[in-house]
Amino acid sequence: MDNSIAIIFASMVSQILLLLASTLFQGVQGTIGVNYGTVANDLPPSPQVAHFLVESTIIDRIRLFDSNPEILQAFAHTGIEVTITVPNDQIPHLTKLSFAEQWVKTNVQAYTPATNIVRILVGNEVLSTANKLFIASLVPAMQTLHTALVAASLDPKIKVSTPHSLGILSSSSPPSTGKFRQGYDTHVFKPLFSFLRSTNAPFMVNPYPYFGYSGDTLDYALFRPNPGVLDENTKLTYTNMLDAQLDAIFSAMKLLGFEDLDIVIAETGWPSEADSAQVGVSPENAAEYNGNLMRHVNSGAGTPLMPNRTFETFIFALFNENLKPGPISERNFGLFRPDMTPVYDIGIMRPTGRSSVPTNPSPYESPGPSVSPIGPSPTSQPVDGKRWCLPKSGVDQDALQRNIDYVCGLGLDCGPIQEGGMCFDPNTVRAHAAYAMNMYYQAMGSYEYDCDFEHSGALTDVDPSYGRCKY
């Protein structure tokens, strides 16, 4: 009888250990999401991508920048959680219930429940577009889309949100002073947060230490050991730039009374290749950032102002995308090359998939012009000494014109770039954008985010003034 008890006990222990192992493995599987961008002409077919992610990686969540039907069909029956996006130009239409209901029918109901759609994002960095119609329509569109999901009985499973760049902040350093831009705080974010709270949806942000580091702050950006940065107001020390960025967002939310909302990192990453003059970009540094990122956001340590939290995080991006405009770095944020070999190893391959990890990783050589930003990369806080904000090389004129429209639409003095003004000549969009972007950067406090402009601006320490045109 004692022997029987021992056998039963051993069997129970074995089952418990198996269950524990299974739980731990599921925890590992749930540690990473990726942005699946498709601005390329050399990517593998989406069914092949879906099979690869399931069989060879621990990636269990993807975010799409649209609602591509081929991709949605390809991910059916995989169990992978899918976030889809309503393009910015459809936001005004989405305020009409009939349009929202048809959109849900076409882009959601046609694929669920086979495809595990869990979230719909209305637009992407809408405030950065400076399009007044898009901005005014954003929250009403989200409300109408949610109403359409309720009508389809999908609202418990599928949440509605919208991601923002850190350009939404007028102040971010030190983190305790974080606040949203005047006007947007009450007219956009208060109703947005009320909607998110009422629907139990998260606030989504795109923090990029990559766009805020300098040679002096590289260790701080990459989560390496460093002296840390003290917030004099809270007496809290920050040991990495991501925590500081997240806490600046949290401080801004707290000012409006919404510190209870969850924060999801919708995008963050580090490129494996950039212009040769740029310090801090390599496959090794990209692996270091993304690897440390995964460990940090899932550790439960949280941030100085949000201790004991984990953050759902989506790394940018799944693949290198060879058709993305702008600097070389824009085409080299991928974890994988188009042939699905890893650019570097951050521990997301299953054991069966590790054979394809290169021993000496080298960046994917993507086609496209070699263009570099003007001036050094922005720093993490206002800098000593004068700097100016100018357009990066290779930015298209439409993007620069949007920057002009945004700045001048805020009521800043754009007289110097109007006909007869001291900075009207040369009469080019790029020259006028340079003046407008710098005027905005200087007026808003000279923070790096004030020179972001959807990643189209960069800082320089060379005075761009000429003749009677003073910057």
Side-chain angles (χ1 to χ4, degrees):
M1 184 161 178
D2 290 343
N3 189 42
S4 299
I5 293 174
I7 292 172
I8 293 171
F9 179 76
S11 176
M12 291 175 61
V13 170
S14 176
Q15 291 180 36
I16 290 170
L17 289 174
L18 283 171
L19 180 61
L20 179 60
S22 173
T23 303
L24 289 173
F25 183 65
Q26 287 174 2
V28 172
Q29 281 188 304
T31 59
I32 180 171
V34 294
N35 288 269
Y36 184 178
T38 56
V39 187
N41 60 9
D42 58 356
L43 298 184
S46 46
Q48 190 177 346
V49 174
H51 179 77
F52 169 70
L53 294 187
V54 171
E55 297 296 327
S56 300
T57 79
I58 61 170
I59 293 167
D60 74 337
R61 302 187 304 280
I62 62 166
R63 173 193 169 201
L64 306 180
F65 291 91
D66 52 23
S67 54
N68 186 307
E70 292 183 4
I71 297 178
L72 291 179
Q73 192 168 4
F75 277 84
H77 309 295
T78 62
I80 289 178
E81 293 185 354
V82 179
T83 293
I84 61 177
T85 302
V86 180
N88 287 349
D89 59 4
Q90 292 188 28
I91 293 173
H93 303 295
L94 204 63
T95 60
K96 301 180 182 67
L97 183 58
S98 59
F99 184 91
E101 289 175 338
Q102 185 59 51
W103 197 93
V104 168
K105 183 177 180 180
T106 302
N107 298 283
V108 181
Q109 289 176 282
Y111 303 99
T112 56
T115 301
N116 188 21
I117 300 173
V118 297
R119 187 178 291 136
I120 304 173
L121 304 185
V122 178
N124 184 47
E125 299 188 348
V126 175
L127 298 188
S128 299
T129 68
N131 186 303
K132 293 178 181 177
L133 179 59
F134 293 173
I135 294 169
S137 303
L138 177 60
V139 177
M142 296 173 69
Q143 292 168 331
T144 307
L145 180 60
H146 176 70
T147 300
L149 290 171
V150 170
S153 300
L154 292 171
D155 57 302
K157 174 179 170 55
I158 301 176
K159 301 300 178 181
V160 176
S161 191
T162 180
H164 295 282
S165 74
L166 296 194
I168 57 178
L169 297 175
S170 62
S171 175
S172 61
S173 182
S176 59
T177 65
K179 61 181 177 180
F180 296 115
R181 297 199 179 283
Q182 191 172 2
Y184 288 156
D185 51 359
T186 56
H187 293 104
V188 177
F189 287 110
K190 271 196 172 180
L192 171 61
F193 292 152
S194 294
F195 168 79
L196 295 177
R197 178 185 279 168
S198 68
T199 59
N200 195 29
F203 183 49
M204 303 189 70
V205 293
N206 300 340
Y208 274 95
Y210 170 71
F211 291 112
Y213 84 100
S214 66
D216 294 336
T217 59
L218 183 61
D219 289 347
Y220 184 56
L222 292 175
F223 302 88
R224 292 172 177 167
N226 64 87
V229 177
L230 177 68
D231 185 327
E232 290 287 354
N233 297 324
T234 60
K235 304 304 179 186
L236 295 171
T237 298
Y238 287 81
T239 58
N240 67 82
M241 193 180 293
L242 182 74
D243 280 357
Q245 292 178 340
L246 290 174
D247 275 359
I249 288 285
F250 175 78
S251 295
M253 295 169 69
K254 188 175 182 179
L255 276 179
L256 298 181
F258 291 93
E259 65 268 30
D260 56 307
L261 290 178
D262 283 337
I263 296 175
V264 168
I265 299 173
E267 275 183 49
T268 190
W270 199 278
S272 58
E273 183 183 3
D275 181 76
S276 58
Q278 187 168 350
V279 176
V281 178
S282 66
E284 292 77 15
N285 283 358
E288 191 168 10
Y289 176 79
N290 285 324
N292 287 335
L293 167 78
M294 286 172 54
R295 285 184 285 274
H296 182 63
V297 297
N298 289 292
S299 68
T303 70
L305 290 180
M306 295 180 284
N308 307 316
R309 279 205 199 187
T310 58
F311 295 93
E312 182 181 355
T313 299
F314 292 81
I315 292 177
F316 188 87
L318 183 56
F319 292 111
N320 285 332
E321 298 172 74
N322 68 347
L323 297 183
K324 293 198 74 174
I328 293 172
S329 60
E330 286 295 315
R331 296 180 287 282
N332 289 279
F333 271 89
L335 297 174
F336 298 94
R337 303 181 183 87
D339 64 359
M340 294 190 290
T341 58
V343 179
Y344 44 81
D345 181 13
I346 57 170
I348 61 174
M349 301 297 292
R350 294 183 186 276
T352 54
R354 286 189 175 274
S355 60
S356 60
V357 179
T359 306
N360 297 303
S362 60
Y364 169 66
E365 297 294 331
S366 48
S370 177
V371 288
S372 59
I374 298 174
S377 300
T379 55
S380 60
Q381 55 188 355
V383 294
D384 296 327
K386 182 77 170 179
R387 290 203 177 183
W388 296 264
C389 177
L390 298 176
K392 291 179 181 177
S393 299
V395 178
D396 66 76
Q397 289 200 1
D398 289 343
L400 295 180
Q401 185 61 53
R402 286 196 298 271
N403 294 346
I404 296 171
D405 295 342
Y406 174 65
V407 173
C408 297
L410 292 174
L412 296 177
D413 181 15
C414 289
I417 57 175
Q418 294 169 358
E419 191 165 2
M422 293 182 178
C423 300
F424 178 72
D425 292 319
N427 182 18
T428 66
V429 172
R430 183 175 181 82
H432 292 176
Y435 182 88
M437 292 164 67
N438 179 68
M439 175 173 58
Y440 178 86
Y441 166 72
Q442 305 294 346
M444 298 308 295
S446 303
Y447 285 87
E448 75 278 6
Y449 306 129
D450 299 318
C451 189
D452 186 25
F453 291 97
E454 278 194 303
H455 313 327
S456 66
L459 294 176
T460 178
D461 54 8
V462 179
D463 187 351
S465 301
Y466 57 93
R468 294 190 303 155
C469 180
K470 304 301 180 185
Y471 275 62

